Amino acid sequence: QEGLTSSLLSFLPGAKCKTGPLDLVFVIDSSRSVRPFEFETMRRFMIDIIHNLDIGLNATRVGVIQYSSQVQNVFSLKTYFKRAEMEKAINNIVPLAQGTMTGLAIQYTMNVAFTTQEGARPLHKRIPRVALIVTDGRPQDRVTDVAAQARETGIEIYAVGVQRADMNSLRAMASRPLEEHVFLVESFDLIQQFGKQFQDKLCGVDMCTELDHGCQHTCVSVPGSFYCECNPGYKLNADRKTCSLNGDKDVCQLCIQGASFLSAAIDACADGKHGCEHQCISSEGSYTCRCRTGYFLNQDEKTCTMINYCNFGNHSCQHECVSVLNGYYCRCNDGYTLQADGKTCHASDLCNGIDHGCEFKCVSTAGSYHCVCPDGQQLMADGKTCNKCKSGHIDLVLVIDGSKSVRPQNFEVVKQFVNQIVDFLHVSPHGTRVGLVQYSSRVRTEFPLNQYKTAEDIKKAVQRVEYMEKGTMTGLALKHMLEHSFSESEGARPLSQNVPRIGLVFTDGRSQDDISDWARKAKESGIVMFAVGVGKAVEEELRAIASEPVEQHFSYSADFSTMTHIVDNLKLNICPEEGKGETEIRSPCECEALVEFQSNTLAILENLTEKHILLPLAQMTARLEDLENQFANKK
């Protein structure tokens, strides 16, 4: 399959793959998120590619699968060997319009579609097996393991995502190198244009065009190589390149071959009148035009246009993509410099050269800089300091997964995730309290709600937490959280104080025990539950843990490398919005102090009335101010 992973070649309308047969299976997403007109574009995409393949029993065979929550075989590799029959079958596809079970589709492709019973040629014949997956969304099942198994069986996987597709999932499916097998097309409008260039990946390299082959007469391409042939009446010399007259034939014998020989000997490109912009290929008294690598032939079949590699959306350039011959490069806007990864751009770093005064973080921009605050905090009017969630008095318990599947290096990422949450809280004995629980096959309180009084102390304690490693007893952890972590003995404030109780559960896999009862009891007790999943976490379990509305109370990340970004999207409504007229829930302590103040004031006034003592107004005012100060101190 060396030829399949070569660089893109020129696209020749009407030309067919001549470098060798393929077994090609389209795996098409027909989930409900694919709108009808978008599915029509997918049909056109498949038909366009098939139109430019050399279809046949001994050439390229094609199969089509569509999938949503189930997998449907539209036609297998052994069903059709005529292009018109395939196009008719594709035009008759009725979309399934359900979920997005991409892993299930890959499993079917490996276990059924590429079997000899369904028309795939035996592995010993070394016919490339190619699966082309086209999807517009995030898989609802696991794709990493099954895709790896498919690749190990010899299937080369191309993953094409459209619009909303998740790049991490595409990369998990595709063969290596990823930059040659993963494509993110920005819209369905571009998918047909993408198909034209993708055609050449399937056809492979024409070694006769790409190399200085040295053949005196004719060069013949084969997968990954070439060989020379001589015109009729000639034989190949020992150098396997040059030709000489066959000594066994006399001149009369050559004449007998007549017009056929003369036609073959005529080089239609030699007169220079062919008009081909790049290359002229002579064949049996005629010719065809061909473009150099990195170009495709225009409709006039003579001129060539350079392929725009930036149109396919897989370049990941932060600012600007510039297409060049046989590839592309990234370019940054004025005032920015390209980083070592060749993709991202950074402005001149003024933050390191001046005393910026930012309380939390300074961010350089083109010729300037600005201050930013942690998620959940707002930048103050001075543009430098941050306000924390001052009114967000809550009891927050974080329950983190320490099972062996997390792995030590990822557990450190989990701890960073915890500290990112702590950063936007106003931690104090009378404000927000934070507790931490770790679980695996057992449950351990790392620190209760009443142990640490500041955010810095909590963050230091989090960094000291040691990874437990073992099973995944999420149900047991929920039980522990409900019965112990939110008890008054561990620092939870009494329910009568109306301090919100929030539980945030992190997990990376399926629980080994039942979670439904304890998740329900926790929510019924008044705890607002958030669920954060990563990797192999089960969406059904995350939803069971999360409070209503579920969509606002659970988050998911495909892997640990992107998990810390969940904080940006996690809608922890733990910081009440100010200035919108909501009823303020006051501390009962404040109410008691207010009642005491009023009672004391009335008692003094009654006492003054009974004794008929007329104090000067200034004295009464002073006494009242003294009582107000006492009230303020009690707060």
Side-chain angles (χ1 to χ4, degrees), residues 310-427:
C310 293
N311 278 349
F312 308 136
N314 65 330
H315 50 75
S316 302
C317 296
Q318 184 178 357
H319 285 181
E320 183 181 1
C321 174
V322 180
S323 184
V324 294
L325 187 62
N326 297 326
Y328 68 90
Y329 67 90
C330 297
R331 183 165 63 194
C332 296
N333 298 335
D334 292 341
Y336 291 80
T337 55
L338 193 64
Q339 299 303 292
D341 61 6
K343 307 280 187 182
T344 56
C345 303
H346 281 183
S348 300
D349 194 359
L350 294 179
C351 292
N352 287 334
I354 61 172
D355 183 15
H356 51 75
C358 296
E359 178 183 346
F360 177 69
K361 185 178 181 181
C362 174
V363 177
S364 291
T365 56
S368 184
Y369 74 92
H370 65 273
C371 301
V372 296
C373 295
D375 189 30
Q377 300 181 30
Q378 293 181 340
L379 195 65
M380 301 297 285
D382 61 7
K384 297 181 183 295
T385 58
C386 305
N387 74 325
K388 293 195 175 185
C389 180
K390 294 182 179 179
S391 60
H393 297 174
I394 63 168
D395 288 340
L396 171 65
V397 175
L398 297 114
V399 183
I400 60 175
D401 186 347
S403 60
K404 61 184 177 183
S405 60
V406 174
R407 300 180 182 175
Q409 66 271 25
N410 291 331
F411 191 71
E412 294 303 312
V413 178
V414 175
K415 294 198 290 187
Q416 293 175 22
F417 169 73
V418 170
N419 281 343
Q420 277 189 299
I421 293 174
V422 174
D423 271 333
F424 69 78
L425 300 174
H426 183 68
V427 178

Side-chain angles (χ1 to χ4, degrees), residues 131-258:
L132 176 53
I133 302 173
V134 184
T135 179
D136 84 321
R138 181 192 297 275
Q140 294 175 330
D141 55 356
R142 304 288 169 238
V143 298
T144 304
D145 292 342
V146 67
Q149 293 172 15
R151 295 192 300 265
E152 288 172 2
T153 66
I155 300 172
E156 186 169 13
I157 300 177
Y158 289 89
V160 181
V162 183
Q163 291 183 334
R164 300 169 290 275
D166 176 56
M167 179 58 81
N168 289 328
S169 298
L170 298 177
R171 293 169 65 88
M173 298 178 212
S175 295
R176 274 56 177 171
L178 293 176
E179 60 269 17
E180 295 184 7
H181 291 83
V182 177
F183 297 90
L184 185 59
V185 182
E186 295 173 358
S187 69
F188 277 91
D189 295 337
L190 291 174
I191 195 170
Q192 281 182 264
Q193 181 183 352
F194 161 77
K196 294 179 179 179
Q197 281 77 23
F198 187 81
Q199 158 68 26
D200 294 304
K201 274 191 168 292
L202 298 179
C203 288
V205 175
D206 185 341
M207 304 298 276
C208 291
T209 302
E210 297 303 304
L211 300 177
D212 183 12
H213 52 77
C215 297
Q216 184 179 357
H217 286 181
T218 304
C219 175
V220 179
S221 285
V222 294
S225 186
F226 69 93
Y227 64 89
C228 298
E229 281 186 350
C230 296
N231 294 334
Y234 290 80
K235 65 179 180 180
L236 196 64
N237 294 328
D239 62 6
R240 313 305 297 171
K241 292 182 181 294
T242 60
C243 303
S244 60
L245 281 169
N246 191 334
D248 296 333
K249 291 184 178 288
D250 57 25
V251 176
C252 292
Q253 287 176 314
L254 292 176
C255 291
I256 294 173
Q257 296 177 5

Side-chain angles (χ1 to χ4, degrees), residues 562-583:
T562 60
M563 192 192 78
T564 53
H565 298 298
I566 289 177
V567 176
D568 297 331
N569 301 319
L570 194 60
K571 304 300 182 183
L572 291 172
N573 296 318
I574 60 177
C575 191
E577 295 184 67
E578 299 176 6
K580 291 194 176 180
E582 289 91 354
T583 302

Side-chain angles (χ1 to χ4, degrees), residues 286-301:
S286 184
Y287 70 91
T288 57
C289 296
R290 182 175 295 177
C291 298
R292 293 191 296 269
T293 301
Y295 293 80
F296 64 89
L297 196 66
N298 295 325
Q299 290 185 353
D300 61 10
E301 298 189 0

